Amino acid sequence: MEKPKLEHYMRLVAMVSILNVIALIYGVTEGNWFAVYAGSLLYHYSQNLTIEDRVRSERRLFHGLFATEDQKEGMHAFIEKRAPQFTGH
């Protein structure tokens, strides 16, 4: 039987890391899949960026999320002290 190569372990670690990030984002956003997708993209693509570029990327994604109907629903739900009903728009 062939011994697993280091790159196989690295791929597994990366997969576990992204799954942990997605689970964390899902919990924080109460299941808003649009935000989960945006957060996982940011995590994936920011691995090789400088901190300055990461902040810029996060700011662009945040502005994009802020313009969604789900963001408005989340704010209304918070003010009204109820669970949000996200639609993915």
Side-chain angles (χ1 to χ4, degrees):
M1 187 163 148
E2 185 180 339
K3 182 178 175 184
K5 296 180 180 176
L6 179 61
E7 58 225 25
H8 295 133
Y9 289 115
M10 297 302 289
R11 242 184 260 139
L12 180 62
V13 167
M15 188 185 316
V16 168
S17 294
I18 191 67
L19 290 175
N20 285 334
V21 167
I22 290 171
L24 175 67
I25 296 168
Y26 185 83
V28 169
T29 63
E30 297 184 21
N32 181 335
W33 280 105
F34 193 72
V36 171
Y37 179 71
S40 61
L41 277 179
L42 180 63
Y43 175 80
H44 177 72
Y45 289 113
S46 69
Q47 296 301 305
N48 298 317
L49 299 177
T50 64
I51 190 69
E52 293 84 6
D53 289 337
R54 286 181 185 188
V55 170
R56 272 189 225 100
S57 296
E58 183 179 352
R59 187 178 305 129
R60 279 193 297 268
L61 275 173
F62 177 77
H63 288 161
L65 290 172
F66 207 80
T68 65
E69 291 298 318
D70 279 352
Q71 184 277 334
K72 293 176 183 77
E73 168 59 18
M75 294 298 288
H76 289 300
F78 177 78
I79 291 168
E80 297 167 6
K81 296 183 180 3
R82 61 174 174 80
Q85 302 297 315
F86 296 123
T87 62
H89 296 105

